[in-house]
Amino acid sequence: MKHRYLPMTEQDRAEMMETVGIQSIDELFADIPQSVRYQGTMPMSGPLDEYALLRHMKGLADKNADFDTHASFLGAGLYDHHIPVVINHIISRSEFYTAYTPYQPEISQGELQAIFEFQSYICELTGMKVANASMYDGATAFSEAAVLAAGATKRKKLIVSRTVHPEARQVLRTSANAWGLQIVEIDYKDGVTDLAKLAEAIDADTAAVLVQSPNFFGGIEDLRQIEPLIHAVKGLLVVSANPIALGVLETPGKLGADIVVGDAQPLGISASLGGPTCGFFAVAEPLMRRMPGRIVGQTVDRNGKRGFVLTLQAREQHIRREKATSNICSNQALLALCASVYLSVMGKEGMREVGELNIRKSHYAAGRLAEITGAERVFTAPFFNEFVLKLPEGSSVSEVNSKLLKEGYLGGYDLGRDYPELAGHMLVAVTEKRSKTEIDEFATALEGCI
């Protein structure tokens, strides 16, 4: 009897083993050392009916500390921003969540237009001329920007600030190793890039300077000072930006950036226990043909009716490998749609308002937490919605966070994990969702946990 939902029968299995010349399935794993194989049976329950299984899975899910059960003061790349309910309604339509790559424009106009709108929004936010259809995430976009800069300038030296997200720098180093690029890291001063050390490091071999603003510490970099330093040697300026901050700050494009990248997670995308997210990538017009991924363009059909098509796909799937700019073969279309819906719902006024709320609430929190005995803010540079708080001498951030978790709070990021000199320092994030009451109660709880 054929079982419709089973991938194969025992007879199928036996015939396949005979074809490949093995006596048991275990022989397929012969090259894996016994020391790293799992011994015995995985711990699991017996068979459950549907209702029992749903209750069991809900019980497991309820063990998570999430944004619904805890007030989050944890950012460091993933943020607890408000997600308008209309977003999940729209992305739940099957036309979007089941859509494949829109190679056939005649049947993919809705998907193509959604991507085109995303590109248009990103250009407006960043002040750049051209944006692609999205990237896997912000870190991927950051490393691809570095590779683009090296190829465009035909130089091997990349200068990156230590205030850039540590994980983005890790991805950059991985890519740089494969491409034979040299990475030079510049230290920070008062929470932002040390401009004096940056100026010393830049020379005629420098392909690009890569900075993040607002940076990993929340500090706003002085792009007006950085831009002439790199352009004086005909290198490129790469800026990683927080899209929410772009609602209130001057666009990187107007400040001289050649490439602007970032993570679109703050734009209506759920943190989802760590991902996936969606990266954005925008460039000045001269670099358009070097962009990774794909671009959706607007055109007209033979009857003069507006339509959308895929254009400029300079990747190995479509052109000779040696001429490809990247091996990025896809984009985050569904999550880019989240960002597009968010931006259309918020509008210019809404983006400015949510940005201002992030600034006001985080600055109130910074002042309130600095009142804790023995705690202090260590940087005075302007910041957006994150700031660094030094805990009293001898405090362990991880231990404090464990206590805060029991009190119903997701505490700040332990900076000692990535910056040894900042052991005992907490990176605190405050978004528009945090109320004054929550901030005050968090300050009280933090003081009690130290």
Side-chain angles (χ1 to χ4, degrees):
M1 171 180 157
K2 293 290 185 180
H3 295 277
R4 181 177 177 187
Y5 297 110
L6 295 180
M8 65 189 72
T9 65
E10 285 302 319
Q11 181 179 344
D12 294 331
R13 195 186 304 272
E15 290 174 354
M16 285 190 285
M17 289 194 295
E18 181 180 357
T19 299
V20 298
I22 59 173
Q23 300 300 313
S24 70
I25 296 296
D26 288 341
E27 292 181 47
L28 293 174
F29 306 97
D31 293 333
I32 302 176
Q34 287 287 345
S35 59
V36 299
R37 296 194 207 178
Y38 186 84
Q39 305 296 321
T41 302
M42 293 289 287
M44 63 182 72
S45 68
L48 300 174
D49 59 46
E50 183 179 274
Y51 177 70
L53 178 61
L54 289 172
R55 286 183 60 85
H56 174 66
M57 297 303 291
K58 186 178 185 305
L60 294 178
D62 287 344
K63 294 181 180 181
N64 290 325
D66 57 31
F67 295 158
D68 293 327
T69 60
H70 291 61
S72 177
F73 291 85
L74 175 63
L78 285 171
Y79 302 92
D80 181 23
H81 289 290
H82 172 64
I83 300 176
V85 294
V86 67
I87 291 178
N88 283 331
H89 172 73
I90 292 178
I91 69 169
S92 296
R93 292 181 64 90
S94 60
E95 303 97 308
F96 289 118
Y97 73 71
T98 65
Y100 187 59
T101 301
Y103 288 126
Q104 294 176 270
E106 64 274 13
I107 62 171
S108 304
Q109 285 300 292
E111 181 72 16
L112 287 166
Q113 182 172 355
I115 296 173
F116 181 83
E117 300 297 344
F118 171 78
Q119 295 171 179
S120 302
Y121 281 129
I122 294 301
C123 287
E124 190 166 352
L125 266 182
T126 60
M128 305 302 286
K129 289 293 185 180
V130 189
N132 72 7
S134 73
M135 306 289 287
Y136 293 129
D137 54 29
T140 304
F142 187 75
S143 68
E144 287 287 335
V147 173
L148 186 158
T153 60
K154 295 181 171 55
R155 299 174 183 176
K156 296 288 188 179
K157 180 179 176 181
L158 298 166
I159 298 178
V160 59
S161 172
R162 282 190 77 214
T163 64
V164 169
H165 197 299
E167 292 173 1
R169 286 187 281 126
Q170 289 175 7
V171 175
L172 173 61
R173 283 193 289 271
T174 300
S175 295
N177 181 63
W179 286 92
L181 304 178
Q182 175 193 2
I183 302 294
V184 176
E185 290 196 349
I186 301 298
D187 213 344
Y188 57 87
K189 182 179 181 181
D190 196 24
V192 293
T193 306
D194 189 325
L195 295 182
K197 292 182 178 179
L198 177 63
E200 290 177 8
I202 294 173
D203 57 28
D205 295 325
T206 304
V209 166
L210 299 99
V211 295
Q212 178 179 336
S213 185
N215 63 34
F216 186 62
F217 301 138
I220 299 171
E221 299 282 356
D222 192 346
L223 300 182
R224 292 188 190 276
Q225 297 294 320
I226 297 174
E227 178 269 328
L229 297 177
I230 183 60
H231 284 162
V233 297
K234 300 188 185 307
L236 302 181
L237 175 58
V238 178
V239 177
S240 176
N242 180 329
I244 294 292
L246 295 179
V248 290
L249 299 179
E250 183 64 277
T251 65
K254 288 187 178 180
L255 296 175
D258 300 289
I259 306 172
V260 182
V261 299
D263 202 302
Q265 185 272 324
L267 303 177
I269 298 174
S270 170
S272 301
L273 303 178
T277 63
C278 169
F280 60 86
F281 197 113
V283 299
E285 194 167 352
L287 299 173
M288 175 175 63
R289 293 182 178 276
R290 291 183 174 273
M291 270 206 301
R294 56 168 70 97
I295 303 173
V296 172
Q298 180 177 274
T299 184
V300 295
D301 63 16
R302 64 183 180 183
N303 298 317
K305 185 178 180 180
R306 184 179 71 154
F308 302 91
V309 294
L310 286 176
T311 63
L312 296 177
Q313 301 177 83
R315 57 204 184 109
E316 95 301 335
Q317 190 174 347
H318 299 97
I319 65 176
R320 292 194 302 274
R321 180 174 295 179
E322 65 274 13
K323 290 188 175 294
T325 59
S326 168
N327 69 347
I328 293 293
C329 291
S330 190
N331 62 284
Q332 292 280 21
L334 191 64
L335 298 183
L337 178 62
C338 290
S340 297
V341 176
Y342 181 89
L343 289 165
S344 67
V345 168
M346 297 298 287
K348 290 183 179 180
E349 291 298 322
M351 287 297 292
R352 181 164 62 246
E353 182 179 347
V354 74
E356 290 173 349
L357 283 172
N358 276 256
I359 292 172
R360 289 201 295 267
K361 292 188 175 188
S362 61
H363 281 68
Y364 172 77
R368 181 68 180 81
L369 296 180
E371 295 174 359
I372 296 174
T373 303
E376 62 175 314
R377 279 192 56 216
V378 293
F379 302 138
T380 61
F383 67 93
F384 179 58
N385 67 352
E386 284 179 284
F387 57 90
V388 177
L389 184 72
K390 181 181 179 182
L391 301 184
E393 200 66 37
S395 298
S396 165
V397 177
S398 61
E399 291 178 4
V400 170
N401 278 337
S402 295
K403 295 177 182 178
L404 285 171
L405 198 62
K406 295 177 182 178
E407 298 293 324
Y409 299 97
L410 299 177
Y413 185 79
D414 183 358
L415 286 170
R417 296 174 57 181
D418 303 290
Y419 300 87
E421 71 277 16
L422 294 179
H425 291 64
M426 177 184 285
L427 179 64
V428 180
V430 182
T431 70
E432 75 281 0
K433 285 182 65 175
R434 300 284 72 84
S435 66
K436 181 178 181 298
T437 299
E438 284 177 325
I439 295 170
D440 290 338
E441 291 177 348
F442 174 70
T444 301
L446 178 59
E447 188 165 25
C449 292
I450 293 174

